[in-house]
Amino acid sequence: MVSRFFEWMLAPLLFVWLVSFAATFIAARASADKTHDVRLTTVAKLLDIEWQIVKNNGKKEVFPSSQSVRWLNASSESPLRYAIVDSQWRKLSGDDELAQAANQPLGNAINLDQPEQLNISLDGVVHRIVLLNNATNETIILAQNRQEGDVLVRTIILFEVIPQALILLIAGVLVASGLAYVAKPLTELQTLLSQRSASQLDPIAKPGLPQELEPFLDGLNGLLQRLETTISAQRRFIADAAHQLRTPIAAMLNESQLLSRLESPGEKQIVIERLQAISERTSRLATQLLSLARAESSSANAIFDTVNICQIVRLVAEDVASDALVRGIEIELDLQDDVWMHKADTTLVGEMVRNLIDNAICYTPQGGQVVVSVNPYANQIAVDDSGVGVAQEEREAVFAPFFRGNNLGLVDRANGSGLGLAIVKEVAGLHNATVKIGDSMLGGARVVVSFH
């Protein structure tokens, strides 16, 4: 991890160094040319003064003078070369080759208000030249090999780029050391996590951890705590499910053994009816267990479409009406409108409504009443029953799996499994809805699901 961070930082640093190198080279080249140009311009002006004196004296004076020759030959490695041309670019004095070479980039009839600086090639070597017009419309041309300027450029590069490279190297070492220091707690944390077992979800201690990493570890410990809570709930659910299934399976086994020993048709019929009742409760329990598991695992797989909630409730109510009639319970459907379009998962909402109605039927005595109402304007589904209701202190606990209230003396508690409201709560949470239990006008419980 440290090496990757270092690579990511090294590439920009190298890019900046290369840009700095290029900028330094351009600046050094410009400085060297500027210095060169000032010198050449100064010598050109001195030659022009001597040239005017020579012309005024009828060319009786020696041109260039011995002093000017010393100026021209001041550098033994690259002496200055000069030429003087008229307005038609005819050589008046000096170097023929220089005059012809300077004529090519400028052309004939030059008129310069300021000295002009150019680079030209003489004998295959790049020279820096300066062209200066005088008062008589003549042009003084001076040229010198750029060797001295190249030496100056190399000197500037050495004094600028090498220190920059050293600074870059030192910065790289410091950055690598800093990254290694910062990443050391993360490496230790990685080692600690890799040594933990899957069941070890207690919080991780943070001695010596940098302050900047404390929020990360706090978030990780929070995640571990939530995992511990979820896994503990799943373990309790599995244990409760195993216990709940063990009882009806054992009862079915006992009844089947009893049935094999009975000879009287009447007694056999009684046992068969008990077996059917146990089988129905076991089937219902298994169905609800599957529904709860599906609801708990549907957070990532739920398919949310814009559906008609009224139609879903109507279809479910019609489907369970026969069960209510068998128990002698009247079921009523109250729709304030035929259409309520809402974004939801059709299957999960159907499971939720079915469990709401089944729960009301299960805990309503024979001859009672269940009313299913839908209020699209308030975004609510409500189920009222005439049963025994839910005690105030149990209205939160009843949403836990396998919890059944104590205030059920008027009904057969064996009919319920304690999963219905747990499924309702889970599905409602997936749809960003809330579930509340209150008192019904029918005398029993009123369960209201409010969508947001």
Side-chain angles (χ1 to χ4, degrees), residues 13 54 57 95 98 172 223 291 303 310 317 358 390:
L13 287 175
V54 169
N57 292 336
D95 193 321
L98 175 60
L223 176 61
S291 297
I303 302 174
C310 291
D358 284 347
V390 180

Side-chain angles (χ1 to χ4, degrees), residues 179-322:
L179 287 174
Y181 175 77
V182 172
K184 183 178 179 181
L186 288 176
T187 304
E188 294 175 352
L189 180 61
Q190 178 185 3
T191 303
L192 179 62
L193 290 175
S194 62
Q195 293 175 349
R196 285 195 164 204
S197 63
S199 59
Q200 191 176 358
L201 298 175
D202 53 294
I204 301 171
K206 48 184 177 183
L209 190 70
Q211 185 177 1
E212 295 77 9
L213 294 178
E214 288 185 3
F216 166 74
L217 190 56
D218 290 339
L220 183 59
N221 283 333
L223 176 61
L224 291 175
Q225 184 176 3
R226 291 192 296 273
L227 284 174
E228 174 67 23
T229 302
T230 302
I231 292 174
S232 298
Q234 290 179 346
R235 288 171 179 167
R236 288 194 301 271
F237 175 78
I238 292 173
D240 291 340
H243 174 73
Q244 293 291 330
L245 286 171
R246 186 184 301 115
T247 301
I249 291 174
M252 290 174 64
L253 179 60
N254 292 335
E255 295 294 339
S256 61
Q257 290 175 347
L258 176 61
L259 181 63
S260 64
R261 293 194 298 267
L262 293 176
E263 296 181 359
S264 170
E267 293 178 346
K268 284 186 176 182
Q269 183 61 34
I270 295 174
V271 174
I272 290 174
E273 290 176 357
R274 288 204 300 265
L275 271 173
Q276 289 176 343
I278 295 172
S279 299
E280 289 177 1
R281 288 196 295 270
T282 305
S283 175
R284 174 179 170 78
L285 176 60
T287 300
Q288 288 193 311
L289 284 172
L290 291 174
S291 297
L292 183 59
R294 182 165 57 247
E296 290 177 342
S297 63
S298 292
S299 57
N301 301 320
I303 302 174
F304 289 89
D305 295 318
T306 302
V307 298
N308 189 350
I309 302 295
C310 291
Q311 183 180 8
I312 296 175
V313 174
R314 180 188 292 109
L315 293 175
V316 174
E318 292 174 353
D319 189 36
V320 299
S322 58

